[in-house]
Amino acid sequence: MSMLKVEDINVYYGNIHAIKGISFEVNEGEIVTLIGANGAGKSTTLNTVAGLLKPATGSIEFEGNSLIGIPAHKIVGKGMALCPEGRRIFLQLSVQENLEMGAYTRSAGEIADLIASVYDRFPRLKERYKQVAGTLSGGEQQMLAMGRALMSKPKLMMLDEPSMGLAPILVEKIFQIIEELNQAGTTILLVEQNAQMALSIADRSYVLETGRIVTSGTGEELLHNDAVRKAYLGG
């Protein structure tokens, strides 16, 4: 079943035509990844789906309902969460306060259980629950950003460059966590410059170039696609 359906969206930054008529869908239970070079339009696509940018044309449907014109905070309440590029955690707040900020769509009675489940998933955060978020390592900050997004109990979690700036061993850990989240029932839409890792866990993938989707297929197909290998996989 199609959970997210994006049809023919065009997005502009002033006079710049950033997204040029792209269409894609994410089915329930899938990991779908968008890959492409810097400036291809990947983050713009996620921000548009999340309600942070408004498309000039086209439609975006989540579970059969249009998201066009709905404010971003209300989209979160419908079951969609964005873990943004650069993490964007609240640097002056503690780990636990950051998690609580992610739960604004949930009832007070749910918050303790949600925090407990995030700490089960990320034991490192539990150890540092009182620590000021700005003093965490890059990997810990990424875990916190993901944990904060999970506090809204999303059906669909969108991750924008979760491996950016992390050491290789931490990149593997983050991708392992993404797979675990998916296996536990969260549908994933992933934007990632590490195409090799992204395609290795993806059910399906779309390749963006200068605001257009130029190729799509299963993760396995694109891992072995000569053009994709040459452009994004170094050979």
Side-chain angles (χ1 to χ4, degrees):
M1 176 190 155
S2 179
M3 179 178 273
L4 175 69
K5 194 164 191 174
V6 175
E7 292 254 347
D8 196 28
I9 60 167
N10 286 272
V11 182
Y12 293 82
Y13 290 114
N15 294 325
I16 298 167
H17 195 176
I19 300 294
K20 301 164 184 168
I22 71 170
S23 301
F24 66 93
E25 61 184 332
V26 181
N27 297 317
E28 189 173 344
E30 284 188 313
I31 297 177
V32 172
T33 184
L34 308 178
I35 65 170
N38 259 336
K42 306 184 302 296
S43 295
T44 300
T45 300
L46 284 198
N47 288 335
T48 304
V49 171
L52 299 170
L53 295 170
K54 189 177 175 186
T57 63
S59 65
I60 302 170
E61 290 185 356
F62 181 64
E63 296 189 317
N65 299 306
S66 175
L67 297 183
I68 301 296
I70 295 178
H73 67 281
K74 292 198 172 170
I75 289 176
V76 174
K78 290 179 179 294
M80 188 188 297
L82 172 64
C83 187
E85 182 181 2
R87 303 189 259 278
R88 306 281 178 86
I89 57 171
F90 300 102
L91 297 174
Q92 309 302 323
L93 300 182
S94 71
V95 166
Q96 183 132 333
E97 287 166 339
N98 266 274
L99 295 179
E100 289 166 353
M101 293 292 279
Y104 68 90
T105 62
R106 313 313 305 182
S107 67
E110 292 178 282
I111 292 175
D113 287 344
L114 286 166
I115 287 176
S117 72
V118 169
Y119 286 156
D120 283 345
R121 175 86 54 202
F122 302 103
R124 187 96 51 100
L125 297 183
K126 186 175 185 179
E127 293 167 13
R128 290 160 169 69
Y129 77 101
K130 287 184 176 175
Q131 194 167 323
V132 174
T135 65
L136 298 175
S137 71
E140 290 162 352
Q141 289 188 9
Q142 184 60 52
M143 291 175 194
L144 180 55
M146 292 169 73
R148 182 182 61 187
L150 287 171
M151 289 294 293
S152 67
K153 283 180 77 172
K155 300 171 192 173
L156 173 65
M157 188 163 173
M158 299 187 288
L159 294 152
D160 194 352
E161 303 283 9
S163 78
M164 183 182 282
L166 300 184
I169 191 165
L170 282 172
V171 172
E172 287 192 19
K173 176 67 175 169
I174 292 296
F175 274 87
Q176 180 189 333
I177 291 166
I178 292 168
E179 287 190 285
E180 288 170 1
L181 290 172
N182 180 247
Q183 287 157 10
T186 306
T187 303
I188 304 285
L189 177 57
L190 171 66
V191 156
E192 182 55 64
Q193 273 203 289
N194 188 330
Q196 181 84 40
M197 291 291 285
L199 292 174
S200 71
I201 68 166
D203 295 297
R204 293 185 304 107
S205 181
Y206 297 87
V207 180
L208 269 75
E209 284 181 13
T210 57
R212 289 188 173 88
I213 289 171
V214 294
T215 312
S216 64
T218 67
E220 185 73 18
E221 285 167 353
L222 295 192
L223 270 175
H224 297 102
N225 177 303
D226 286 344
V228 171
R229 289 189 66 81
K230 190 171 180 184
Y232 306 107
L233 305 173

